[in-house]
Amino acid sequence: MACILARVSTDSAPSTATVAAPPILRVTDEAAEVVLGALADEPDGAGLGLRVAVSGTEMSPSMTFEFSYDLSLHEVEGATDDAVYEVAGLTVIIPADSVANLTGATLDVPSNPLQGGLVIRNPNRPDMGERIDLSESDSVTERLQSLLNNHVNPSLAAHGGYVELVRVEDSKAFLLMGGGCQGCTMSAATLHQGVAAIISQHVPEILDVVDVTDHAAGENPFYQ
């Protein structure tokens, strides 16, 4: 089984769901050519399909939360209970729990041919409101810390960064940005358009965030 990278971003007789047109995940001819080329290099490529699954969420360069994906070449006969269909000469396998979040998306090649790989253009976005459940009995600081630990930092980790809560004073949260966020040219946008927005939504007592990071000391910023 081989792995194919995507930017944004594996299992006797099968018990599969046959999908009628339009397909769940559309595949452009250019993307299909890339995958079919990878299949041609596999000794058992004739029995493999492209498995595309939503693996989690991440914060994108535009500071919005988007889905992350796992793409792999997978045995078609092992795709038990998955949606399996043919598109652009390629067998596509979508796990049942990824169908809703991939419906209407398109697998394509990047607009910049120098980037290589594949890209998923997905109109669907994670519903962070449903995923984030903070205890109302916790203090503002405890809820904010939980939000950072369990929801914000796992997304920032995709860029090698993290946000640390230094202190809460009145309605202000003082935050320190580390890793790939320290010294990053997009750090201000990350903090105020991404992190502050999700804090405002889920910890409404916090009316402002203050960046106390020494960005000049950043050794490995994600964007330079």
Side-chain angles (χ1 to χ4, degrees):
M1 180 165 48
C3 181
I4 300 175
L5 298 180
R7 303 176 187 274
V8 201
S9 15
T10 62
D11 347 34
S12 98
S15 172
T16 59
T18 303
V19 180
I24 297 164
L25 173 70
R26 300 178 178 87
V27 180
T28 66
D29 291 340
E30 294 80 4
E33 183 178 353
V34 171
V35 180
L36 291 171
L39 285 169
D41 293 333
E42 293 292 317
D44 54 349
L48 301 178
L50 175 66
R51 183 180 187 271
V52 183
V54 173
S55 60
T57 60
E58 64 182 14
M59 187 175 284
S60 73
S62 61
M63 307 310 131
T64 59
F65 285 96
E66 298 182 354
F67 292 115
S68 55
Y69 309 94
D70 283 332
L71 281 77
S72 61
L73 301 181
H74 188 280
E75 292 182 1
V76 175
E77 287 197 4
T80 306
D81 297 327
D82 296 338
V84 180
Y85 58 95
E86 301 286 330
V87 60
L90 177 68
T91 300
V92 178
I93 305 166
I94 308 291
D97 58 3
S98 295
V99 168
N101 290 328
L102 283 173
T103 298
T106 300
L107 181 68
D108 200 358
V109 296
S111 301
N112 182 354
L114 297 179
Q115 289 182 340
L118 299 169
V119 62
I120 293 179
R121 310 187 193 282
N122 195 345
N124 306 306
R125 292 292 180 270
D127 188 341
M128 300 305 293
E130 289 186 0
R131 293 183 65 247
I132 297 177
D133 183 17
L134 304 178
S135 174
E136 295 182 359
S137 63
D138 288 345
S139 68
V140 170
T141 299
E142 289 171 333
R143 282 183 283 132
L144 181 53
Q145 189 67 69
S146 176
L147 182 68
L148 295 177
N149 289 347
N150 299 317
H151 302 283
V152 173
N153 282 333
S155 296
L156 291 179
H159 295 173
Y162 63 89
V163 173
E164 178 182 325
L165 176 62
V166 176
R167 66 184 184 275
V168 174
E169 289 183 5
D170 300 324
S171 60
K172 292 184 179 180
F174 292 78
L175 305 177
L176 184 147
M177 308 181 76
C181 291
Q182 185 179 14
C184 177
T185 57
M186 294 295 291
S187 60
T190 299
L191 187 67
H192 294 288
Q193 298 176 24
V195 178
I198 197 170
I199 288 175
S200 174
Q201 180 180 359
H202 297 284
V203 190
E205 295 90 341
I206 299 298
L207 302 180
D208 192 17
V209 296
V210 180
D211 185 2
V212 297
T213 309
D214 179 5
H215 284 286
E219 297 182 354
N220 189 30
F222 190 77
Y223 293 106
Q224 302 187 43

